[in-house]
Amino acid sequence: MEKQTITIYDVAREANVSMATVSRVVNGNQNVKPATRKKVLEVIDRLDYRPNAVARGLASKKTTTVGVIIPDISNVFFSSLARGIDDVATMYKYNIILANSDGDDQKEVNVLNTLLAKQVDGVIFMGHHITDEIRGEFSRSKTPVVLAGSIDPDEQVGSVNIDYKAATKDAVALLAKNGNKNIAFISGPLIDPINGKNRLSGYKEALKEAGLGYNEGLIFEANYQFSEGHKLAERVKNSGATAAFVADDELSLGLLDGMLDLGLRVPEDFEIVTSNNSLLTEVARPRLTSITQPLYDLGAVSMRLLTKLMTKEEVEQKNIILPYGIDEKGSTK
């Protein structure tokens, strides 16, 4: 038999007090006699009453709930950001609704509308690129939105990132300094501005400064998955590349595995620099040289920015850039 939903009316009737009194107890209002508070809490406990967050939200215009849209919860990059988001949300007493979009444009819109229907106070969006349709939904909803590890080229939406162009330039410069003449660029879809605009620009600048020519045959697009990196290995080897900049750690791990299966030694025959410095870079053998991103902080700062937007605090900077570095490990000479 389906469990009956206990309402604030049931608690008030059982405790023989008004619904307003129950509401004051639930919300921690001190204008309730201790004896009355004790009686109401005992009834709440006995009936197992759970205040309806959406109903409370309709009354107060706040649900203290935040929606987080994530393209792939199994990817270490996004799950690390989500941990930072959740910790800061807890600190500011917000609940999180986590929704997986699979990086699919239409599913992102559907997931966003589902979250907005749940009366969330704000949204943190992690996606590979901002389509016109999703931007339109952001604008129409009037709900505060912050991008975490995602870029809005028009800078209409608040965001927290690193300088992907400068980081990629430094990574490719390291590979050029080590004597590599043919350096592959391996990323997710170039339609994503982080890849097609920021990272690719950094790659081209590094080549130019090293006196190396740009060759489209060294540009590879792939999904951020181990199997994709493994599949790419033969094509990358046949391109004549002796090194690669890779935009994702799981993809890098697949490439490393594929190169070893092809009989190449890393870093002696082939060098790799990856992008996120997640745990995967440590468990790889050899360990992967990586751009260092403050993954947890990207999430934490995104959530803090969102709390300011939700409470209409003054925001000095809506598009925040966090520091990065290069951690040289075993996949470079």
PDB file of all heavy atoms in Angstrom, residues 8-44:
ATOM      1  N   ILE A   8       1.612  19.451   6.554  1.00  0.00           N
ATOM      2  CA  ILE A   8       1.715  20.367   7.702  1.00  0.00           C
ATOM      3  C   ILE A   8       0.379  20.432   8.448  1.00  0.00           C
ATOM      4  O   ILE A   8       0.339  20.609   9.671  1.00  0.00           O
ATOM      5  CB  ILE A   8       2.168  21.771   7.229  1.00  0.00           C
ATOM      6  CG1 ILE A   8       2.552  22.653   8.434  1.00  0.00           C
ATOM      7  CG2 ILE A   8       1.101  22.446   6.362  1.00  0.00           C
ATOM      8  CD1 ILE A   8       3.241  23.955   8.034  1.00  0.00           C
ATOM      9  N   TYR A   9      -0.711  20.225   7.729  1.00  0.00           N
ATOM     10  CA  TYR A   9      -2.039  20.218   8.349  1.00  0.00           C
ATOM     11  C   TYR A   9      -2.169  19.054   9.328  1.00  0.00           C
ATOM     12  O   TYR A   9      -2.695  19.210  10.444  1.00  0.00           O
ATOM     13  CB  TYR A   9      -3.124  20.121   7.263  1.00  0.00           C
ATOM     14  CG  TYR A   9      -4.514  19.928   7.811  1.00  0.00           C
ATOM     15  CD1 TYR A   9      -5.212  20.998   8.391  1.00  0.00           C
ATOM     16  CD2 TYR A   9      -5.131  18.675   7.781  1.00  0.00           C
ATOM     17  CE1 TYR A   9      -6.490  20.814   8.904  1.00  0.00           C
ATOM     18  CE2 TYR A   9      -6.406  18.481   8.299  1.00  0.00           C
ATOM     19  CZ  TYR A   9      -7.081  19.561   8.862  1.00  0.00           C
ATOM     20  OH  TYR A   9      -8.338  19.385   9.382  1.00  0.00           O
ATOM     21  N   ASP A  10      -1.661  17.878   8.935  1.00  0.00           N
ATOM     22  CA  ASP A  10      -1.717  16.691   9.813  1.00  0.00           C
ATOM     23  C   ASP A  10      -0.942  16.929  11.108  1.00  0.00           C
ATOM     24  O   ASP A  10      -1.392  16.558  12.197  1.00  0.00           O
ATOM     25  CB  ASP A  10      -1.134  15.460   9.103  1.00  0.00           C
ATOM     26  CG  ASP A  10      -1.918  15.089   7.857  1.00  0.00           C
ATOM     27  OD1 ASP A  10      -3.153  15.168   7.902  1.00  0.00           O
ATOM     28  OD2 ASP A  10      -1.278  14.736   6.845  1.00  0.00           O
ATOM     29  N   VAL A  11       0.247  17.551  10.980  1.00  0.00           N
ATOM     30  CA  VAL A  11       1.070  17.825  12.162  1.00  0.00           C
ATOM     31  C   VAL A  11       0.359  18.815  13.082  1.00  0.00           C
ATOM     32  O   VAL A  11       0.305  18.629  14.307  1.00  0.00           O
ATOM     33  CB  VAL A  11       2.456  18.388  11.747  1.00  0.00           C
ATOM     34  CG1 VAL A  11       3.277  18.782  12.978  1.00  0.00           C
ATOM     35  CG2 VAL A  11       3.230  17.358  10.919  1.00  0.00           C
ATOM     36  N   ALA A  12      -0.216  19.861  12.500  1.00  0.00           N
ATOM     37  CA  ALA A  12      -0.909  20.891  13.292  1.00  0.00           C
ATOM     38  C   ALA A  12      -2.097  20.291  14.045  1.00  0.00           C
ATOM     39  O   ALA A  12      -2.304  20.559  15.238  1.00  0.00           O
ATOM     40  CB  ALA A  12      -1.379  22.025  12.375  1.00  0.00           C
ATOM     41  N   ARG A  13      -2.872  19.447  13.348  1.00  0.00           N
ATOM     42  CA  ARG A  13      -4.050  18.836  13.979  1.00  0.00           C
ATOM     43  C   ARG A  13      -3.629  17.902  15.115  1.00  0.00           C
ATOM     44  O   ARG A  13      -4.189  17.927  16.208  1.00  0.00           O
ATOM     45  CB  ARG A  13      -4.827  18.053  12.914  1.00  0.00           C
ATOM     46  CG  ARG A  13      -6.170  17.499  13.410  1.00  0.00           C
ATOM     47  CD  ARG A  13      -6.818  16.650  12.354  1.00  0.00           C
ATOM     48  NE  ARG A  13      -5.929  15.556  11.968  1.00  0.00           N
ATOM     49  CZ  ARG A  13      -6.075  14.845  10.852  1.00  0.00           C
ATOM     50  NH1 ARG A  13      -7.036  15.128  10.004  1.00  0.00           N
ATOM     51  NH2 ARG A  13      -5.254  13.857  10.583  1.00  0.00           N
ATOM     52  N   GLU A  14      -2.588  17.101  14.870  1.00  0.00           N
ATOM     53  CA  GLU A  14      -2.134  16.135  15.870  1.00  0.00           C
ATOM     54  C   GLU A  14      -1.543  16.826  17.094  1.00  0.00           C
ATOM     55  O   GLU A  14      -1.707  16.365  18.227  1.00  0.00           O
ATOM     56  CB  GLU A  14      -1.078  15.217  15.215  1.00  0.00           C
ATOM     57  CG  GLU A  14      -0.765  13.954  15.990  1.00  0.00           C
ATOM     58  CD  GLU A  14      -1.839  12.883  15.865  1.00  0.00           C
ATOM     59  OE1 GLU A  14      -2.707  12.999  14.981  1.00  0.00           O
ATOM     60  OE2 GLU A  14      -1.806  11.949  16.679  1.00  0.00           O
ATOM     61  N   ALA A  15      -0.836  17.938  16.861  1.00  0.00           N
ATOM     62  CA  ALA A  15      -0.208  18.666  17.976  1.00  0.00           C
ATOM     63  C   ALA A  15      -1.149  19.692  18.602  1.00  0.00           C
ATOM     64  O   ALA A  15      -0.799  20.337  19.592  1.00  0.00           O
ATOM     65  CB  ALA A  15       1.051  19.373  17.472  1.00  0.00           C
ATOM     66  N   ASN A  16      -2.308  19.834  17.969  1.00  0.00           N
ATOM     67  CA  ASN A  16      -3.325  20.784  18.461  1.00  0.00           C
ATOM     68  C   ASN A  16      -2.778  22.225  18.492  1.00  0.00           C
ATOM     69  O   ASN A  16      -2.944  22.947  19.471  1.00  0.00           O
ATOM     70  CB  ASN A  16      -3.832  20.366  19.853  1.00  0.00           C
ATOM     71  CG  ASN A  16      -5.147  21.054  20.188  1.00  0.00           C
ATOM     72  OD1 ASN A  16      -5.896  21.463  19.290  1.00  0.00           O
ATOM     73  ND2 ASN A  16      -5.421  21.215  21.479  1.00  0.00           N
ATOM     74  N   VAL A  17      -2.098  22.600  17.393  1.00  0.00           N
ATOM     75  CA  VAL A  17      -1.592  23.969  17.251  1.00  0.00           C
ATOM     76  C   VAL A  17      -1.943  24.442  15.832  1.00  0.00           C
ATOM     77  O   VAL A  17      -2.438  23.666  15.008  1.00  0.00           O
ATOM     78  CB  VAL A  17      -0.052  24.044  17.430  1.00  0.00           C
ATOM     79  CG1 VAL A  17       0.357  23.635  18.830  1.00  0.00           C
ATOM     80  CG2 VAL A  17       0.677  23.192  16.382  1.00  0.00           C
ATOM     81  N   SER A  18      -1.683  25.705  15.561  1.00  0.00           N
ATOM     82  CA  SER A  18      -1.965  26.229  14.217  1.00  0.00           C
ATOM     83  C   SER A  18      -0.868  25.797  13.234  1.00  0.00           C
ATOM     84  O   SER A  18       0.251  25.469  13.641  1.00  0.00           O
ATOM     85  CB  SER A  18      -2.040  27.758  14.244  1.00  0.00           C
ATOM     86  OG  SER A  18      -0.753  28.298  14.499  1.00  0.00           O
ATOM     87  N   MET A  19      -1.208  25.849  11.937  1.00  0.00           N
ATOM     88  CA  MET A  19      -0.211  25.519  10.911  1.00  0.00           C
ATOM     89  C   MET A  19       0.924  26.544  10.936  1.00  0.00           C
ATOM     90  O   MET A  19       2.074  26.214  10.651  1.00  0.00           O
ATOM     91  CB  MET A  19      -0.870  25.470   9.525  1.00  0.00           C
ATOM     92  CG  MET A  19      -1.712  24.220   9.319  1.00  0.00           C
ATOM     93  SD  MET A  19      -2.239  23.979   7.610  1.00  0.00           S
ATOM     94  CE  MET A  19      -3.534  25.198   7.475  1.00  0.00           C
ATOM     95  N   ALA A  20       0.604  27.774  11.302  1.00  0.00           N
ATOM     96  CA  ALA A  20       1.633  28.822  11.399  1.00  0.00           C
ATOM     97  C   ALA A  20       2.669  28.460  12.456  1.00  0.00           C
ATOM     98  O   ALA A  20       3.868  28.686  12.270  1.00  0.00           O
ATOM     99  CB  ALA A  20       0.985  30.164  11.721  1.00  0.00           C
ATOM    100  N   THR A  21       2.194  27.863  13.570  1.00  0.00           N
ATOM    101  CA  THR A  21       3.117  27.461  14.636  1.00  0.00           C
ATOM    102  C   THR A  21       4.037  26.343  14.155  1.00  0.00           C
ATOM    103  O   THR A  21       5.252  26.365  14.397  1.00  0.00           O
ATOM    104  CB  THR A  21       2.334  26.999  15.891  1.00  0.00           C
ATOM    105  OG1 THR A  21       1.566  28.098  16.371  1.00  0.00           O
ATOM    106  CG2 THR A  21       3.262  26.526  16.994  1.00  0.00           C
ATOM    107  N   VAL A  22       3.465  25.365  13.440  1.00  0.00           N
ATOM    108  CA  VAL A  22       4.288  24.278  12.891  1.00  0.00           C
ATOM    109  C   VAL A  22       5.333  24.858  11.935  1.00  0.00           C
ATOM    110  O   VAL A  22       6.508  24.489  11.978  1.00  0.00           O
ATOM    111  CB  VAL A  22       3.416  23.237  12.148  1.00  0.00           C
ATOM    112  CG1 VAL A  22       4.310  22.150  11.517  1.00  0.00           C
ATOM    113  CG2 VAL A  22       2.411  22.597  13.096  1.00  0.00           C
ATOM    114  N   SER A  23       4.895  25.800  11.100  1.00  0.00           N
ATOM    115  CA  SER A  23       5.809  26.434  10.142  1.00  0.00           C
ATOM    116  C   SER A  23       6.952  27.137  10.863  1.00  0.00           C
ATOM    117  O   SER A  23       8.118  27.029  10.456  1.00  0.00           O
ATOM    118  CB  SER A  23       5.041  27.430   9.273  1.00  0.00           C
ATOM    119  OG  SER A  23       5.910  28.052   8.371  1.00  0.00           O
ATOM    120  N   ARG A  24       6.626  27.833  11.963  1.00  0.00           N
ATOM    121  CA  ARG A  24       7.676  28.531  12.720  1.00  0.00           C
ATOM    122  C   ARG A  24       8.673  27.545  13.320  1.00  0.00           C
ATOM    123  O   ARG A  24       9.882  27.793  13.325  1.00  0.00           O
ATOM    124  CB  ARG A  24       7.041  29.395  13.824  1.00  0.00           C
ATOM    125  CG  ARG A  24       6.479  30.725  13.320  1.00  0.00           C
ATOM    126  CD  ARG A  24       6.194  31.685  14.458  1.00  0.00           C
ATOM    127  NE  ARG A  24       5.025  31.303  15.229  1.00  0.00           N
ATOM    128  CZ  ARG A  24       3.778  31.705  14.964  1.00  0.00           C
ATOM    129  NH1 ARG A  24       3.562  32.516  13.940  1.00  0.00           N
ATOM    130  NH2 ARG A  24       2.784  31.327  15.714  1.00  0.00           N
ATOM    131  N   VAL A  25       8.188  26.406  13.807  1.00  0.00           N
ATOM    132  CA  VAL A  25       9.071  25.381  14.375  1.00  0.00           C
ATOM    133  C   VAL A  25       9.992  24.814  13.282  1.00  0.00           C
ATOM    134  O   VAL A  25      11.215  24.698  13.462  1.00  0.00           O
ATOM    135  CB  VAL A  25       8.253  24.247  15.034  1.00  0.00           C
ATOM    136  CG1 VAL A  25       9.167  23.076  15.415  1.00  0.00           C
ATOM    137  CG2 VAL A  25       7.515  24.760  16.269  1.00  0.00           C
ATOM    138  N   VAL A  26       9.406  24.472  12.148  1.00  0.00           N
ATOM    139  CA  VAL A  26      10.166  23.884  11.032  1.00  0.00           C
ATOM    140  C   VAL A  26      11.250  24.846  10.547  1.00  0.00           C
ATOM    141  O   VAL A  26      12.369  24.440  10.212  1.00  0.00           O
ATOM    142  CB  VAL A  26       9.207  23.511   9.872  1.00  0.00           C
ATOM    143  CG1 VAL A  26       9.988  23.206   8.604  1.00  0.00           C
ATOM    144  CG2 VAL A  26       8.364  22.298  10.263  1.00  0.00           C
ATOM    145  N   ASN A  27      10.927  26.135  10.516  1.00  0.00           N
ATOM    146  CA  ASN A  27      11.871  27.133   9.986  1.00  0.00           C
ATOM    147  C   ASN A  27      12.790  27.728  11.044  1.00  0.00           C
ATOM    148  O   ASN A  27      13.535  28.672  10.767  1.00  0.00           O
ATOM    149  CB  ASN A  27      11.104  28.249   9.269  1.00  0.00           C
ATOM    150  CG  ASN A  27      10.465  27.763   7.976  1.00  0.00           C
ATOM    151  OD1 ASN A  27      11.153  27.263   7.098  1.00  0.00           O
ATOM    152  ND2 ASN A  27       9.151  27.872   7.884  1.00  0.00           N
ATOM    153  N   GLY A  28      12.741  27.177  12.271  1.00  0.00           N
ATOM    154  CA  GLY A  28      13.668  27.611  13.315  1.00  0.00           C
ATOM    155  C   GLY A  28      13.349  28.972  13.913  1.00  0.00           C
ATOM    156  O   GLY A  28      14.212  29.598  14.543  1.00  0.00           O
ATOM    157  N   ASN A  29      12.118  29.433  13.739  1.00  0.00           N
ATOM    158  CA  ASN A  29      11.711  30.718  14.323  1.00  0.00           C
ATOM    159  C   ASN A  29      11.656  30.589  15.847  1.00  0.00           C
ATOM    160  O   ASN A  29      11.086  29.640  16.381  1.00  0.00           O
ATOM    161  CB  ASN A  29      10.331  31.111  13.753  1.00  0.00           C
ATOM    162  CG  ASN A  29       9.949  32.533  14.102  1.00  0.00           C
ATOM    163  OD1 ASN A  29      10.037  32.928  15.260  1.00  0.00           O
ATOM    164  ND2 ASN A  29       9.498  33.283  13.106  1.00  0.00           N
ATOM    165  N   GLN A  30      12.260  31.556  16.534  1.00  0.00           N
ATOM    166  CA  GLN A  30      12.352  31.469  18.003  1.00  0.00           C
ATOM    167  C   GLN A  30      11.076  31.884  18.727  1.00  0.00           C
ATOM    168  O   GLN A  30      10.948  31.701  19.936  1.00  0.00           O
ATOM    169  CB  GLN A  30      13.526  32.339  18.505  1.00  0.00           C
ATOM    170  CG  GLN A  30      14.888  31.872  18.005  1.00  0.00           C
ATOM    171  CD  GLN A  30      15.168  30.414  18.344  1.00  0.00           C
ATOM    172  OE1 GLN A  30      15.069  29.998  19.493  1.00  0.00           O
ATOM    173  NE2 GLN A  30      15.505  29.623  17.324  1.00  0.00           N
ATOM    174  N   ASN A  31      10.096  32.451  17.997  1.00  0.00           N
ATOM    175  CA  ASN A  31       8.860  32.922  18.647  1.00  0.00           C
ATOM    176  C   ASN A  31       7.866  31.784  18.899  1.00  0.00           C
ATOM    177  O   ASN A  31       6.695  31.845  18.520  1.00  0.00           O
ATOM    178  CB  ASN A  31       8.178  34.005  17.783  1.00  0.00           C
ATOM    179  CG  ASN A  31       8.998  35.282  17.756  1.00  0.00           C
ATOM    180  OD1 ASN A  31       9.769  35.541  18.679  1.00  0.00           O
ATOM    181  ND2 ASN A  31       8.840  36.072  16.710  1.00  0.00           N
ATOM    182  N   VAL A  32       8.377  30.730  19.537  1.00  0.00           N
ATOM    183  CA  VAL A  32       7.534  29.590  19.904  1.00  0.00           C
ATOM    184  C   VAL A  32       7.936  29.162  21.308  1.00  0.00           C
ATOM    185  O   VAL A  32       9.129  29.054  21.608  1.00  0.00           O
ATOM    186  CB  VAL A  32       7.739  28.396  18.932  1.00  0.00           C
ATOM    187  CG1 VAL A  32       6.803  27.245  19.292  1.00  0.00           C
ATOM    188  CG2 VAL A  32       7.515  28.811  17.484  1.00  0.00           C
ATOM    189  N   LYS A  33       6.938  28.941  22.167  1.00  0.00           N
ATOM    190  CA  LYS A  33       7.252  28.514  23.540  1.00  0.00           C
ATOM    191  C   LYS A  33       7.980  27.169  23.500  1.00  0.00           C
ATOM    192  O   LYS A  33       7.618  26.287  22.706  1.00  0.00           O
ATOM    193  CB  LYS A  33       5.969  28.367  24.357  1.00  0.00           C
ATOM    194  CG  LYS A  33       5.280  29.692  24.658  1.00  0.00           C
ATOM    195  CD  LYS A  33       3.970  29.443  25.389  1.00  0.00           C
ATOM    196  CE  LYS A  33       3.228  30.751  25.623  1.00  0.00           C
ATOM    197  NZ  LYS A  33       1.867  30.515  26.160  1.00  0.00           N
ATOM    198  N   PRO A  34       9.003  26.988  24.371  1.00  0.00           N
ATOM    199  CA  PRO A  34       9.759  25.724  24.397  1.00  0.00           C
ATOM    200  C   PRO A  34       8.872  24.490  24.504  1.00  0.00           C
ATOM    201  O   PRO A  34       9.121  23.489  23.825  1.00  0.00           O
ATOM    202  CB  PRO A  34      10.660  25.882  25.627  1.00  0.00           C
ATOM    203  CG  PRO A  34      10.842  27.362  25.766  1.00  0.00           C
ATOM    204  CD  PRO A  34       9.548  27.979  25.325  1.00  0.00           C
ATOM    205  N   ALA A  35       7.846  24.546  25.346  1.00  0.00           N
ATOM    206  CA  ALA A  35       6.967  23.387  25.529  1.00  0.00           C
ATOM    207  C   ALA A  35       6.207  23.071  24.234  1.00  0.00           C
ATOM    208  O   ALA A  35       6.047  21.896  23.857  1.00  0.00           O
ATOM    209  CB  ALA A  35       5.979  23.649  26.662  1.00  0.00           C
ATOM    210  N   THR A  36       5.774  24.135  23.550  1.00  0.00           N
ATOM    211  CA  THR A  36       5.047  23.956  22.285  1.00  0.00           C
ATOM    212  C   THR A  36       5.982  23.394  21.216  1.00  0.00           C
ATOM    213  O   THR A  36       5.628  22.477  20.470  1.00  0.00           O
ATOM    214  CB  THR A  36       4.457  25.299  21.806  1.00  0.00           C
ATOM    215  OG1 THR A  36       3.652  25.846  22.846  1.00  0.00           O
ATOM    216  CG2 THR A  36       3.626  25.125  20.551  1.00  0.00           C
ATOM    217  N   ARG A  37       7.212  23.956  21.162  1.00  0.00           N
ATOM    218  CA  ARG A  37       8.200  23.468  20.193  1.00  0.00           C
ATOM    219  C   ARG A  37       8.454  21.975  20.396  1.00  0.00           C
ATOM    220  O   ARG A  37       8.486  21.201  19.440  1.00  0.00           O
ATOM    221  CB  ARG A  37       9.510  24.249  20.349  1.00  0.00           C
ATOM    222  CG  ARG A  37      10.621  23.800  19.376  1.00  0.00           C
ATOM    223  CD  ARG A  37      11.955  24.482  19.672  1.00  0.00           C
ATOM    224  NE  ARG A  37      11.819  25.916  19.702  1.00  0.00           N
ATOM    225  CZ  ARG A  37      11.750  26.697  18.627  1.00  0.00           C
ATOM    226  NH1 ARG A  37      11.820  26.136  17.429  1.00  0.00           N
ATOM    227  NH2 ARG A  37      11.614  27.988  18.733  1.00  0.00           N
ATOM    228  N   LYS A  38       8.620  21.567  21.675  1.00  0.00           N
ATOM    229  CA  LYS A  38       8.900  20.165  21.997  1.00  0.00           C
ATOM    230  C   LYS A  38       7.745  19.269  21.534  1.00  0.00           C
ATOM    231  O   LYS A  38       7.966  18.219  20.937  1.00  0.00           O
ATOM    232  CB  LYS A  38       9.090  20.040  23.524  1.00  0.00           C
ATOM    233  CG  LYS A  38       9.499  18.653  24.008  1.00  0.00           C
ATOM    234  CD  LYS A  38       9.913  18.718  25.480  1.00  0.00           C
ATOM    235  CE  LYS A  38      10.377  17.367  25.989  1.00  0.00           C
ATOM    236  NZ  LYS A  38       9.285  16.416  26.187  1.00  0.00           N
ATOM    237  N   LYS A  39       6.511  19.721  21.791  1.00  0.00           N
ATOM    238  CA  LYS A  39       5.334  18.942  21.413  1.00  0.00           C
ATOM    239  C   LYS A  39       5.258  18.778  19.885  1.00  0.00           C
ATOM    240  O   LYS A  39       5.031  17.683  19.366  1.00  0.00           O
ATOM    241  CB  LYS A  39       4.073  19.637  21.932  1.00  0.00           C
ATOM    242  CG  LYS A  39       2.781  18.889  21.615  1.00  0.00           C
ATOM    243  CD  LYS A  39       1.587  19.432  22.379  1.00  0.00           C
ATOM    244  CE  LYS A  39       1.268  20.869  21.952  1.00  0.00           C
ATOM    245  NZ  LYS A  39      -0.031  21.320  22.504  1.00  0.00           N
ATOM    246  N   VAL A  40       5.501  19.893  19.153  1.00  0.00           N
ATOM    247  CA  VAL A  40       5.435  19.859  17.686  1.00  0.00           C
ATOM    248  C   VAL A  40       6.531  18.948  17.121  1.00  0.00           C
ATOM    249  O   VAL A  40       6.285  18.146  16.222  1.00  0.00           O
ATOM    250  CB  VAL A  40       5.546  21.286  17.096  1.00  0.00           C
ATOM    251  CG1 VAL A  40       5.713  21.231  15.581  1.00  0.00           C
ATOM    252  CG2 VAL A  40       4.311  22.106  17.468  1.00  0.00           C
ATOM    253  N   LEU A  41       7.753  19.059  17.666  1.00  0.00           N
ATOM    254  CA  LEU A  41       8.861  18.228  17.186  1.00  0.00           C
ATOM    255  C   LEU A  41       8.603  16.745  17.420  1.00  0.00           C
ATOM    256  O   LEU A  41       8.972  15.894  16.612  1.00  0.00           O
ATOM    257  CB  LEU A  41      10.180  18.653  17.846  1.00  0.00           C
ATOM    258  CG  LEU A  41      10.745  20.004  17.377  1.00  0.00           C
ATOM    259  CD1 LEU A  41      11.938  20.417  18.227  1.00  0.00           C
ATOM    260  CD2 LEU A  41      11.128  19.957  15.900  1.00  0.00           C
ATOM    261  N   GLU A  42       7.963  16.435  18.552  1.00  0.00           N
ATOM    262  CA  GLU A  42       7.622  15.036  18.851  1.00  0.00           C
ATOM    263  C   GLU A  42       6.630  14.488  17.826  1.00  0.00           C
ATOM    264  O   GLU A  42       6.761  13.358  17.358  1.00  0.00           O
ATOM    265  CB  GLU A  42       7.036  14.920  20.265  1.00  0.00           C
ATOM    266  CG  GLU A  42       8.109  14.954  21.361  1.00  0.00           C
ATOM    267  CD  GLU A  42       7.506  15.052  22.764  1.00  0.00           C
ATOM    268  OE1 GLU A  42       6.257  15.150  22.875  1.00  0.00           O
ATOM    269  OE2 GLU A  42       8.285  15.030  23.742  1.00  0.00           O
ATOM    270  N   VAL A  43       5.648  15.331  17.449  1.00  0.00           N
ATOM    271  CA  VAL A  43       4.650  14.910  16.444  1.00  0.00           C
ATOM    272  C   VAL A  43       5.310  14.760  15.077  1.00  0.00           C
ATOM    273  O   VAL A  43       5.056  13.793  14.353  1.00  0.00           O
ATOM    274  CB  VAL A  43       3.475  15.920  16.383  1.00  0.00           C
ATOM    275  CG1 VAL A  43       2.552  15.600  15.207  1.00  0.00           C
ATOM    276  CG2 VAL A  43       2.688  15.909  17.680  1.00  0.00           C
ATOM    277  N   ILE A  44       6.184  15.709  14.729  1.00  0.00           N
ATOM    278  CA  ILE A  44       6.913  15.637  13.451  1.00  0.00           C
ATOM    279  C   ILE A  44       7.698  14.337  13.376  1.00  0.00           C
ATOM    280  O   ILE A  44       7.695  13.638  12.353  1.00  0.00           O
ATOM    281  CB  ILE A  44       7.858  16.861  13.288  1.00  0.00           C
ATOM    282  CG1 ILE A  44       7.039  18.108  12.957  1.00  0.00           C
ATOM    283  CG2 ILE A  44       8.917  16.612  12.225  1.00  0.00           C
ATOM    284  CD1 ILE A  44       7.838  19.404  12.964  1.00  0.00           C
TER     285      ILE A  44
END
